[in-house]
Amino acid sequence: MSDGGVGGSSGGALGGGLLVAGTTSDAGKSVVTAGICRWLVRQGVKVAPFKAQNMSLNSFVTREGAEIGRAQAMQAAAARVEPTALMNPVLLKPGSDRSSQVVLLGKSVGELSARGYHAGRQEQLLGTVTDCLQELRRTHDAVICEGAGSPAEINLRRTDIVNMGIARAARIPVVVVGDIDRGGVFASFFGTTALLSKEDQTLVAGYLVNKFRGDVTLLEPGLEMLRGLTGRQTLGVLPFAHGLGIDEEDGMGVSLRSAVRESAVAPPATAGRGPQPHGAEVLRVAVCAVPLMSNFTDVDALAAEPGVVVRFVDRAEELTDADLVVLPGTRGTVRALAWLRERGLADAIARRAAEGRPVLGICGGYQMLGERIEDDVESKAGVVDGLGLLPVRVRFAVEKTLARPAGEALGEPVEGYEIHHGVAEVTGGDEVFMSDGSGQGLDGCRAGSVWGTHWHGSLESDGFRRAFLRRVAADAGRAFVPAPDTCFGVLREEQLDRLGDLIEEHADTDALLRLIEEGVPTALPFIPPGAP
């Protein structure tokens, strides 16, 4: 690689870089970035992902105790490197439509309104994110950056640090991804480019079509016309592939009501029915789609099990036939608790518990199941009654707990990660949930058929997940048996390889490699009118 190339890993010159932007949010930037990372690492390239600023309620904890977006943790797995705070220096966690918690280099630095953030704070962070990108380029052969939303948000360009702002600062080429499944992809490519300033347009090196269905030869005349209009090549047409939305950034804008969670890592569905159950019956899981739901990826490991059907719900009647109800994490525990009561879900969950039917609360969901919540930090609501289904009292602390715990549960090893302000005091119950293996409780508890834990990701531990599902099936009276050989880690690796295959088989990898190695092409034409 030129301009540093493999020398980047020696701490000398900078390694190559590329920014994957999108015509819209959810155009496929995250999975394309992951796919390029997996393709590169299979070529022997030492590569790292990077996203300067991420807005997401799905986050992860690195081994050094830093909080970053789950999408960047997934991309790091695709690159076969350990995730670090450098890969996502700014994380915004929405608390309402107008404010977010700002996480800087893995640590919360407070709440800011959208106006306050864009009015000055964001510009101040450009130096920080540029330094992080530069450090990654010093230690890697290549860094694949992901943009956010669209680079043509002209109202936000002055304060942009994640799209053209970082591309300009680092002088790296940009590839724009468009979702053709939504329609209007040619207009989106052209319009995105034409709305950029002349200086920004010089960095836009080409386009990637995502989620194409059908005969690609029918698309080629349009691609040629687009090249004639913009002077830029389409670097690949990626086919539509089911189940590639692994570790999505955000569930805020996605309607999940009655949506079946198709596992992103499970084997392909059979005749539209999914993998057949290992036992005689399926197991139905209902996940309450609470406001500000966070880390709903916790249930992906359940959806990966043959015969487990995971559905997101928001009505009490949808809990009726569920064998397990899950209360997931949330950025607004008190708000979510009020939502459960308003919709009759709280009463339905209480009836389930009284009947001995299984309920699982994770993080914020665990806190809601307790007796009392004292919150002067997140909602500032003071003392609020919980659902009273677990003997737990929760007090919100100013400092956020960020940890990567490991222990034992139901006789099986289990690992997870913690991201929460709430501190739980367990005052009773039938047993602790997570222990250190020698009887010392670490987290959570059980009362009857109601379980709770702060540990995100615990269900990815295969032995524990199977043991938990056996208990759920027994309590629910279902002849469900978990498959003995489902390995979530292996399935996830296979999924990341699928992303790499998409890039290798359907993108112009020679052109991508030239961009990464040689940087921004020269003499790219200006497309009027351009932004002022």
Side-chain angles (χ1 to χ4, degrees):
M1 288 189 164
S2 60
D3 190 26
V6 291
S9 55
S10 67
L14 298 181
L18 181 72
L19 175 70
V20 178
T23 56
T24 63
S25 294
D26 203 33
K29 298 182 294 292
S30 294
V31 294
V32 168
T33 299
I36 294 175
C37 285
R38 177 49 59 102
W39 162 65
L40 283 172
V41 77
R42 293 195 309 207
Q43 311 309 308
V45 177
K46 185 179 181 183
V47 59
F50 177 79
K51 185 161 185 172
Q53 173 191 292
N54 194 348
M55 178 173 281
S56 179
L57 290 172
N58 287 337
S59 58
F60 183 74
V61 179
T62 68
R63 294 210 177 276
E64 70 267 29
E67 184 180 8
I68 66 171
R70 270 201 72 98
Q72 280 61 66
M74 177 269 291
Q75 291 161 357
R80 295 177 180 152
V81 294
E82 189 67 32
T84 74
L86 293 173
M87 297 172 184
N88 179 207
V90 181
L91 174 63
L92 305 178
K93 304 191 73 176
S96 70
D97 291 340
R98 296 190 176 185
S99 68
S100 293
Q101 182 182 79
V102 180
V103 178
L104 179 61
L105 293 174
K107 304 296 180 184
S108 172
V109 294
E111 298 273 340
L112 272 181
S113 68
R115 180 177 293 275
Y117 184 67
H118 288 289
R121 178 61 166 165
Q122 190 175 30
E123 284 182 287
Q124 297 169 9
L125 295 173
L126 180 59
T128 299
V129 300
T130 303
D131 288 345
C132 291
L133 175 56
Q134 189 172 22
E135 179 61 25
L136 286 173
R137 292 181 71 187
R138 270 198 294 264
T139 53
H140 295 79
D141 300 333
V143 178
I144 308 303
C145 309
E146 180 190 344
S150 163
E153 307 289 355
I154 54 179
N155 56 315
L156 303 176
R157 177 60 186 92
R158 183 180 62 82
T159 58
D160 171 48
I161 63 171
V162 65
N163 290 305
M164 305 314 296
I166 191 69
R168 284 264 293 271
R171 195 64 192 168
I172 55 175
V174 177
V175 173
V176 181
V177 177
D179 179 356
I180 198 170
D181 200 48
R182 295 181 174 187
V185 74
F186 294 115
S188 297
F189 283 144
F190 184 87
T192 295
T193 309
L195 277 176
L196 300 178
S197 68
K198 184 175 182 179
E199 293 79 5
D200 285 350
Q201 285 192 29
T202 62
L203 303 177
V204 177
Y207 310 111
L208 265 173
V209 176
N210 192 28
K211 299 183 183 178
F212 179 72
R213 307 173 192 248
D215 184 351
V216 73
T217 61
L218 299 177
L219 196 64
E220 288 171 354
L223 301 179
E224 283 303 311
M225 283 187 276
L226 181 67
R227 184 169 187 172
L229 289 166
T230 67
R232 290 159 173 86
Q233 180 184 355
T234 297
L235 303 173
V237 178
L238 308 182
F240 189 98
H242 288 281
L244 290 183
I246 54 178
D247 291 356
E248 292 99 327
E249 289 185 351
D250 196 1
M252 290 282 288
V254 180
S255 174
L256 291 171
R257 192 180 95 62
S258 297
V260 174
R261 181 67 168 173
E262 292 184 2
S263 174
V265 297
T270 302
R273 298 189 304 273
Q276 297 303 297
H278 184 72
E281 293 184 296
V282 300
L283 201 68
R284 297 174 176 85
V285 179
V287 184
C288 295
V290 298
L292 299 176
M293 181 166 49
S294 61
N295 288 61
F296 57 82
T297 49
D298 281 333
V299 301
D300 281 358
L302 295 179
E305 284 285 348
V308 176
V309 179
V310 177
R311 186 181 298 274
F312 288 88
V313 304
D314 65 358
R315 296 183 299 184
E317 57 266 32
E318 293 174 302
L319 304 187
T320 304
D321 66 347
D323 302 307
L324 170 66
V325 169
V326 177
L327 288 180
T330 171
R331 172 81 164 83
T333 302
V334 170
R335 176 178 167 183
L337 189 55
W339 180 87
L340 290 175
R341 287 178 168 134
E342 289 166 3
R343 290 178 170 264
L345 286 159
D347 289 340
I349 292 169
R351 287 194 296 271
R352 288 183 61 87
E355 295 165 1
R357 301 171 67 196
V359 177
L360 170 65
I362 302 174
C363 199
Y366 169 40
Q367 296 165 6
M368 287 186 275
L369 290 170
E371 298 168 344
R372 187 182 73 184
I373 298 170
E374 183 181 340
D375 180 12
D376 295 317
V377 176
E378 189 175 78
S379 68
K380 298 181 172 57
V383 177
V384 177
D385 287 337
L387 297 178
L389 303 180
L390 286 176
V392 175
R393 296 177 180 178
V394 176
R395 177 184 56 81
F396 274 64
V398 174
E399 287 294 317
K400 184 187 292 189
T401 296
L402 297 171
R404 288 278 293 273
E408 180 182 286
L410 301 180
E412 297 286 347
V414 60
E415 297 181 1
Y417 57 99
E418 296 183 67
I419 307 170
H420 55 91
H421 285 279
V423 179
E425 177 191 1
V426 179
T427 60
D430 298 317
E431 61 180 293
V432 297
F433 202 168
M434 311 297 178
S435 72
D436 65 358
S438 60
Q440 181 65 40
L442 297 177
D443 177 78
C445 69
R446 176 182 70 85
S449 61
V450 181
W451 306 75
T453 177
H454 272 129
W455 291 16
H456 292 292
S458 60
L459 292 166
E460 296 179 16
S461 298
D462 298 322
F464 163 68
R465 181 181 65 253
R466 287 192 279 269
F468 179 68
L469 288 176
R470 283 192 290 269
R471 290 285 291 267
V472 167
D475 287 347
R478 286 283 182 192
F480 168 85
V481 179
D485 54 355
T486 302
C487 178
F488 188 78
V490 169
L491 291 172
R492 181 171 289 273
E493 270 297 298
E494 291 174 354
Q495 178 71 338
L496 294 173
D497 276 331
R498 284 183 66 202
L499 297 180
D501 292 343
L502 279 178
I503 298 300
E504 186 170 345
E505 296 169 9
H506 300 282
D508 186 340
T509 53
D510 289 339
L512 287 175
L513 199 55
R514 279 196 302 273
L515 289 175
I516 295 167
E517 290 182 332
E518 300 173 10
V520 180
T522 57
L524 290 170
F526 171 67
I527 310 301

